[in-house]
Every structure is written in C-alpha cells, then in structure tokens.
Amino acid sequence: MNINYIIGIVGAFGVFLLGCVMGINIGPKAAGKPPITFELSNLWNFFDAASIFITIGCTIFIVVASFPGSMLKAMPKHFKIILNNKMFDPKGYIDQLVELAQIARKNGLLSLEEKANEQTDPFFKQAIMLIVDANDQDKVRGILENDIE
C-alpha cells in the first residue's frame, strides 16, 4: 500500500474538515472574540447534498468525456498501481542503471548484453539490448516511448 497516497488523502480530508469548522473573526462584528474559533456547528454550513452530487457527478462525467474508452477501462489497473507501490522500485532501477553505466564505461557497450539477459523486467531488458545494438539515442527513445504508450 502506498503510504504517501494514504497520507495525502487523509491530510486533504483533515484540512478540509478543519477549514469547515474554523471561523475567522475580523471586522467590527468580531469585537471581544478570539481571531480564530473552531465550532462544529460551522460544519453544516458546508454540507449540501445537491452541491456534492453536482461536484462529484460532473467530475466523473468530465473524466469520461476527456478520455477514450480504452483508457477508462484501464483506470482500475492504474488505481491499483497507485495504491501498490511495491510493483515498481525506482531506487532499484536507478541502482541498476548506475551499475550498467559503470560496466559500459569500463568494458564497452557490448559487455551489457550479459547483464541484459539477467533482467526479469522485459521493458528494461529491451532498453539495454537496444543500447547494446548501437542504436542512436533518438531511435531508442522513440521505441521505448511507443512501448510505454
């Protein structure tokens, strides 16, 4: 489970609730009151079922209008990736890239072929093999971007 996602959602909800119950007392009507008050009765000022329905409903339908059906079908998969960050370990890939760069600098690009065959990620393996095959940078970038899309 992605802890940053949970912290972000809980934090946003907390700030929202805090903003709803907080009152700021300024001006002539605030005489004798503290500048900031917290009253739970203020919370009901922000609850309106029609407004909530319009906001959430319109957001959903704008998302539907903004993306083709194939992308909408893939949304649950993307939410799963957001919630489960153990599938992708960017630090591991960075460490591997640094190691591969050192090997290539010392022994040349052809020495990367053996390391490419050890890779379990097919995308990463293909990227290394494209570099070993002496393709130019723009061609490698284009092929990998097409694969990502």
Side-chain angles (χ1 to χ4, degrees):
M1 185 67 73
N2 188 346
I3 191 71
N4 290 339
Y5 180 76
I6 293 171
I7 291 170
I9 294 296
V10 169
F13 189 70
V15 168
F16 167 75
L17 285 177
L18 186 65
C20 289
V21 299
M22 185 171 65
I24 298 176
N25 301 312
I26 56 174
K29 294 181 181 180
K33 293 183 181 180
I36 297 175
T37 58
F38 298 95
E39 299 174 14
L40 288 178
S41 61
N42 290 343
L43 189 59
W44 289 109
N45 295 336
F46 289 89
F47 182 79
D48 180 38
S51 298
I52 293 170
F53 177 75
I54 289 170
T55 302
I56 293 173
C58 289
T59 300
I60 290 170
F61 283 107
I62 291 300
V63 168
V64 168
S66 299
F67 297 101
S70 61
M71 289 183 80
L72 291 174
K73 288 178 189 173
M75 284 181 72
K77 177 179 73 172
H78 294 292
F79 281 121
K80 183 179 177 185
I81 291 170
I82 289 170
L83 294 173
N84 185 7
N85 67 344
K86 292 183 182 177
M87 289 180 63
F88 302 103
D89 179 25
K91 289 182 182 179
Y93 286 115
I94 292 169
D95 292 339
Q96 286 181 350
L97 285 171
V98 169
E99 179 186 342
L100 292 172
Q102 291 173 348
I103 291 171
R105 191 180 74 230
K106 291 177 185 174
N107 304 330
L109 289 177
L110 292 177
S111 63
L112 296 178
E113 188 170 8
E114 180 182 316
K115 288 288 188 179
N117 292 327
E118 296 173 5
Q119 299 300 319
T120 57
D121 183 355
F123 180 79
F124 198 55
K125 181 177 181 176
Q126 179 190 12
I128 297 169
M129 290 307 293
L130 286 170
I131 293 168
V132 168
D133 292 340
N135 291 304
D136 67 82
Q137 177 182 356
D138 294 330
K139 184 175 180 181
V140 171
R141 179 186 302 264
I143 292 170
L144 295 176
E145 285 177 351
N146 285 338
D147 284 353
I148 289 171
E149 289 176 14

